[in-house]
Amino acid sequence: MPPATTPDSAQARLAAEAVAFVRQFHHERPGPVDPEQRIREVLAEIDRTGSYRHTPEELAFGARVAWRNSARCIGRLYWRSLVVRDLRHVDSPDEIAEHCFEHLRTAGNGGRIRPVISVFAPDLPGRPAPRVLNQQLVRYAGHRQPDGGLLGDPAGAQLAEQARALGWKGRDGRFDVLPLLVRSGPWARPQWYELPDDAVAEVRLSHPEHGWFAALGLRWYTVPAISDMALEIGGVHYPTAPFNGWYMGTEIGARNLADADRYDMLAVVAERLGLDTSSERTLWRDRALVELNVAVLHSFQEAGVTMADHHTESERFLRHIAQERRLGRPTPADWSWIVPPVSGGLTPVYHRYYDPVDPELRPAFLPRPPW
Ligand code: ARG
């Protein structure tokens, strides 16, 4: 075993966080194993190697609690159901890509979306683990146009540029799925992988009353899988741990397709609806926004793909808070992220405050530190 290369202070911090995590694990899931025994084991392993390996049960528990601790997520009622794929032994870019595609198939599940996380190799002292560079496993490219404009999703412009520099050829469409970029280390050139068709399910958007809506050619993918956050459990960083839930309609209808710096569709929809756009006071934006959201919910429903509406998901979140409270646990939440971007005041989550967000709370999903 090579000597640990971690500085003493970092190692002491790791040890403290490891102990706190093992205690939490045994406190929430009392079992036959003596926590003190496990703590001695973990500390000895840290002394010897500079890190330690979670048991599969610790890993699954840690990932689920990281979800439970996510202050910006309204969907936490189902945190216990997270499917945890233990892929810590996988560390070649080819295999990582293949397992990410399998993640999307498992999560997509023919439309019955399952919350899934795939946990790849952790960072080790002096040995950073490979990373997926994409923000989400599925996202649309933004293509810079010769006239300075942008075709597609502006949120996918930077990655598209990076992928092109590596040799990827986009199809110059509005909804081109970006390739997956995997980089084995700070010194390595990223490798890119086109997503296979059977890993990417999409829904074409139509409106229950307006026949013209389908001709707008809008669509969205079914699985929102965040791939640019590190999972931190007991002091160990897993920098590649893509996770997904299902969509709430407003994420697509009130943000991705509506925001001025995303697909910016409100003026087009308003025009097709025949609204008077000459004054803000006609509320043409608001009316277009509602119809866009109707179309999103309707289309996912018709396609048989799991999607929550913001009224139902708000009500579930308050149930989650009540349930956690009965178990003696707070539910830290960030009001500005929890309240839906349409009809906020119509949902019960608007009319209250939440337990304060604690940036020290662990396990957690965190922005990845640069390598
Ligand atoms: N808001 C992001 C998007 O529109 C996805 C964030 C995660 N959402 C979720 N429902 N789990 O793509």
Side-chain angles (χ1 to χ4, degrees):
M1 205 47 87
T5 51
T6 326
D8 287 354
S9 63
Q11 190 155 322
R13 200 164 54 237
L14 171 62
E17 286 173 20
V19 170
F21 170 68
V22 173
R23 286 201 201 291
Q24 182 186 9
F25 175 79
H26 287 274
H27 175 74
E28 289 196 33
R29 304 170 81 264
V33 181
D34 172 17
E36 298 311 316
Q37 171 57 30
R38 175 64 183 141
I39 285 171
R40 280 191 296 276
E41 221 173 87
V42 164
L43 292 179
E45 192 176 344
I46 292 174
D47 258 349
R48 217 169 52 238
T49 70
S51 188
Y52 70 105
R53 282 159 310 179
H54 291 124
T55 65
E57 294 73 26
E58 288 167 352
L59 184 76
F61 172 79
R64 292 179 183 132
V65 174
W67 182 8
R68 189 178 85 200
N69 286 341
S70 297
R72 295 172 165 184
C73 178
I74 193 173
R76 287 178 271 169
L77 179 62
Y78 300 107
W79 67 275
R80 280 187 196 80
S81 72
L82 181 65
V83 175
V84 181
R85 301 174 73 225
D86 182 356
L87 300 169
R88 290 175 289 173
H89 56 284
V90 175
D91 66 357
S92 83
D94 288 5
E95 287 175 296
I96 291 174
E98 202 41 64
H99 281 291
C100 286
F101 304 151
E102 193 51 31
H103 177 132
L104 289 170
R105 293 183 195 104
T106 302
N109 190 28
R112 247 186 99 87
I113 309 290
R114 289 187 277 226
V116 175
I117 184 168
S118 298
V119 186
F120 293 97
D123 284 335
L124 294 174
R127 245 188 70 190
R131 294 183 180 191
V132 165
L133 304 186
N134 307 54
Q135 299 170 319
Q136 296 187 19
L137 296 184
V138 184
R139 198 156 226 201
Y140 298 122
H143 305 293
R144 268 286 149 241
Q145 299 298 284
D147 67 356
L150 199 116
L151 180 70
D153 192 345
Q158 208 222 313
L159 199 89
E161 222 164 273
Q162 210 175 344
R164 274 182 205 284
L166 295 165
W168 177 69
K169 309 254 176 283
R171 283 167 300 280
D172 270 314
R174 278 170 91 200
F175 296 99
D176 288 352
V177 174
L178 285 161
L180 195 72
L181 268 54
V182 187
R183 193 169 176 189
S184 46
W187 56 84
R189 182 183 157 95
Q191 294 179 235
W192 62 270
Y193 304 85
E194 205 72 76
L195 271 63
D197 287 344
D198 71 340
V200 185
E202 295 176 274
V203 173
R204 293 169 187 279
L205 303 188
S206 62
H207 190 285
E209 291 132 43
H210 301 298
W212 50 262
F213 194 98
L216 296 176
L218 302 177
R219 56 204 284 160
W220 207 258
Y221 49 88
T222 65
V223 178
I226 305 295
S227 48
D228 65 352
M229 295 183 91
L231 168 61
E232 191 188 316
I233 303 173
V236 176
H237 285 251
Y238 297 95
T240 306
F243 59 87
N244 75 278
W246 51 75
Y247 263 118
M248 181 162 88
T250 57
E251 299 182 81
I252 300 168
R255 302 298 312 277
N256 303 346
L257 295 176
D259 278 1
D261 60 357
R262 297 293 298 286
Y263 279 85
D264 196 18
M265 291 302 299
L266 293 186
V268 176
V269 173
E271 190 260 321
R272 298 307 315 267
L273 285 167
L275 301 178
D276 173 3
T277 59
S278 67
S279 155
E280 290 298 344
R281 302 179 58 101
T282 68
L283 299 189
W284 62 268
R285 290 182 203 277
D286 312 65
R287 295 176 67 182
L289 187 60
V290 168
E291 297 311 330
L292 188 50
N293 278 276
V294 167
V296 169
L297 286 164
H298 164 79
S299 309
F300 271 64
Q301 171 103 32
E302 287 284 284
V305 177
T306 312
M307 169 171 273
D309 67 81
H310 48 293
H311 302 286
T312 305
E313 206 62 45
S314 294
E315 184 262 319
R316 283 184 191 149
F317 184 58
L318 294 191
R319 258 166 50 212
H320 169 67
I321 293 177
Q323 183 179 294
E324 287 293 298
R325 193 196 164 96
R326 280 194 297 277
L327 293 165
R329 292 193 292 250
T331 298
D334 181 339
W335 192 97
S336 71
W337 276 68
I338 295 295
V339 171
V342 283
S343 310
L346 296 182
T347 66
V349 294
Y350 178 95
H351 300 277
R352 51 164 296 161
Y353 293 113
Y354 298 98
D355 291 321
V357 178
D358 172 5
E360 305 295 319
L361 196 59
R362 297 289 184 279
F365 292 110
L366 301 165
R368 285 185 298 200
W371 13 29

